[in-house]
Amino acid sequence: MKNSVIWICLLMSTFLFAQEKFSVSGTIKDKKNGETLLGATVYLKGTTNGAVTNEYGFYSLTAPKGTYTLVISFIGYKTITKEVNLTVDQTVNLEINEASTSLDAVVIEAEESERVNIRKPQMSVSKLNAATIKQMPVVLGEVDVIKSIQMLPGVTNAGEGTGGFNVRGGAADQNLVLLDEAIIYNTSHFFGFFSVFNADAIKDIKLYKGDIPAKFGGRISSVLDVRQKDGNSKNLEVNGGVGIISSRLAVEGPMFNKKGSFLVAGRTSYAHLFMPLIEEIKDDKISFYDLNLKTNYEINENNRIYLSGYFGRDIFDISKFIKNRYGNTSANLRWNHVFNEKLFSNLSLIYSKYDYEIILDFIKLDWVADIENFNVKYDLRYYASDKLKLDFGVSGISYNFNPGEVRPSDPSSSINFRKLDQKRAFEAAAYISAEHELTDKLTAQYGLRFSTFSRLGGQALANYANDLPVVYNNEIGIYEEGEEISTTDYKKSESIKTFANLEPRLGLSYQLNDESSVKASYTRSVQYVHLLSNTVSVTPLDVWAPSGRYIKPQKSNQFAVGYYKNFNDKKYSLELETYYKNVDNRIDYIDGSDLIGTNNIETEILNGEARAYGLEVLFRKNKGKFKGWFAYTLSKSEQRALGGNAGGPGINRGNWYNTPYDRTHDISITGSYDFNEKWRFSANFVYQTGRPVTYPNGQYEYEGISIASFDERNANRLPAYHRLDLSATFTPSKNKNRRWQSEWVFGVYNAYARRNAASISFTQDFDTGVNEARRLSIFGSFIPSITYNFKF
């Protein structure tokens, strides 16, 4: 018996010893500039143990005790190996070299970060690298992040000259746009001709169209996560460009004895300098500028702090008649801390503000408004084992909504001062999610987000008869403002209304073979803030408002299924996805609604629901002299608003109708061809079904004037939109020993001069009395551009 016990103990000891595991972790950087590499692959040769570096270049692997070869690969860079003896937990920080210093290597690097990952459960995510974006033809030669993502399936916009973007049939306000974790409320310069993102300052871009990770919340359509460069920690580097109407300059370099770095990038336009040469617009001023800032400092091996910021402004002065100024401001202080080889954390203190001002000189009126928020968030990642990784964290956002303030701009003005009620709110959330390799072929990503939202006091709110802010007038068949019977004063310490919601997330990936997989996902999201606008696109006059007594949070459920395949040693890739999404509490506006200057905004809206479904195809060619992709989306986006407690038939008699961003067919083709070492050619082609609009179906006369009458909302469409853009890039020299590198970019936007309709209005000619339809086109011809880019 005694011998048996001894043998059992020995066997157990042997088993436990064999199962003893240790971790290796660290950070992967570019050896040339010290920039952390997001998405680099790290694995132990001869095993299935592998990891991908996070947003800060951090990785962690766990394996049984033994000696291994650690392999680090990132396409466009030389693959390196390092022998590690896993007898204790250890830290291995590594720097890797580019495979070549030519621009071609940068292009290849972009391809790897964008290519579909067959094994990971994450789906409905699109990735773009700044190098890829810089190759695409753009309007007026200015590289544009927003217009680039619109070349991907499932992403559209409302047309030329409009800001924002629409994802899978969602509105522009349903997109959470982050720049280094700070919320950006308006992504546009020049009313949508340019985006606020300077490509010289951007490192990585991810667009989550579905299967949104649990760490993100507050929007129901998508998350656009934009990360700025950290800055070159090895050498001083300057790059920039000079274009027809704008120029940019970025400077980055080491600080604190190369224990940190800085980045300063700025852009400005100078179109207003040429306006005095044209008599008709000599008094107009149209310009924008922005500034990106970032610095970081490595306290020690386990602690690093980052400070980043953005400031942008647009200025429009039209003939001393209307003045418009708007812009974003953001700042973020972050602390990265490595507790041990398995636990990584990031603490962020974030500030965001969007403000706008309009001065109407002809009536001496000054209108100002803004939305401001302070955000604290703490995110952690725990590498539990080689098969299980956990993300968890908490966040809190304090909102201040200033919907508007009207002031006389001149002592002689007849305008009376008026300030709309300022609104406050607080949003809190906690989440946990896991990436779990269940079997060799099946991997899951699942999580839960719990969010709360409190509309805070500090103001008086109207009370309505029968608690109805909107009522239906049966006599004339329209919705009207409800009868206000009293007001209730709420103290700042009071909560007017509180909401709490669970938001589960699930993603599954089943690997069919080494080159293909199928995936499925479910995402439930809740949105507590709303962009109140009865225009098609984001404009500087749009008003943000919180959920409360009469405005309910939007709730979305999205289901998606996809098939993914790589061909010919990853030379080609195919992504097929189909999705269905429904939204509760989607706001729509009663006919004739007036959102500007309205204190009781609830009297202008009806709650409804929305749904969207579609099929997306993305086929890429990833290698060779010719590279690019073909994207196609077949989709439908509808909504309806019933009368509810307000009575009446609802909008369009309660039937489903097209949303303003419904596009049945959307085709995008992007390609670039490396002709030789000096010349590269690129092209984009876009075709979209025309945007839904409402045309008149009849007319009547009132006091001798013909007035149009309208039937169902969004029952008609503008003509189809299509456009071809071309560009050629000439690089004088690619001598890697030359400090100064430069290139010329020649572009043509709208190459065959298509007059795409931005809108069609129906009016009566006062001279002839004839009714007529007038089409407004932003561009009536092709737009050439030339840009000189440099780097040293």
Side-chain angles (χ1 to χ4, degrees), residues 9 68 117 215 241 498 522 591 744 766:
C9 292
Y68 298 91
N117 189 306
K215 67 179 179 179
T498 297
Y522 166 71
D591 293 330
W744 291 90
F766 287 103

Side-chain angles (χ1 to χ4, degrees), residues 12 230 234 271 286 317 327 350 382 461 554 563 665-666 748 773:
M12 290 182 64
D230 296 333
K234 300 297 182 72
I286 303 177
D317 291 352
I350 309 166
Y382 179 61
L461 293 184
Q554 300 177 72
Y563 172 74
H665 302 283
D666 182 7
V748 178

Side-chain angles (χ1 to χ4, degrees), residues 671-716:
S672 65
Y673 179 69
D674 298 325
F675 183 72
N676 54 35
E677 290 187 355
K678 293 183 178 294
W679 285 97
R680 183 180 68 247
F681 301 97
S682 302
N684 294 337
F685 175 76
V686 178
Y687 174 90
Q688 295 174 344
T689 301
R691 176 171 56 83
V693 291
T694 305
Y695 289 158
N697 64 344
Q699 64 179 15
Y700 60 93
E701 286 194 3
Y702 178 76
E703 295 184 354
I705 300 176
S706 178
I707 300 175
S709 64
F710 297 85
D711 190 13
E712 294 195 350
R713 188 175 295 188
N714 293 343
N716 309 103

Side-chain angles (χ1 to χ4, degrees), residues 591-612:
D591 293 330
S593 61
D594 183 10
L595 304 179
I596 304 301
T598 301
N599 211 21
N600 301 335
I601 205 74
E602 64 271 9
T603 63
E604 308 294 328
I605 61 177
L606 288 176
N607 278 325
E609 59 181 330
R611 64 187 181 190

Side-chain angles (χ1 to χ4, degrees), residues 304-373:
R304 180 183 287 268
I305 56 174
Y306 297 82
L307 177 63
S308 60
Y310 170 81
F311 180 78
R313 182 76 29 190
D314 280 70
I315 301 172
F316 291 78
D317 291 352
I318 308 300
S319 300
K320 298 182 179 179
F321 185 72
I322 297 177
K323 298 178 181 178
N324 182 204
R325 294 168 174 81
Y326 65 93
N328 296 279
T329 302
S330 71
N332 186 1
L333 176 62
R334 282 176 287 176
W335 170 42
N336 284 177
H337 176 62
V338 180
F339 286 94
N340 53 48
E341 290 78 8
K342 290 179 175 288
L343 185 59
F344 177 91
S345 71
N346 179 71
L347 174 65
S348 299
L349 308 177
I350 309 166
Y351 171 79
S352 294
K353 183 178 181 180
Y354 170 61
D355 65 277
Y356 52 90
E357 176 184 23
I358 288 185
I359 300 174
L360 303 179
D361 282 339
F362 62 98
I363 58 173
K364 308 301 181 183
L365 179 148
D366 189 357
W367 169 278
V368 294
D370 63 72
I371 176 174
E372 181 181 47
N373 70 259

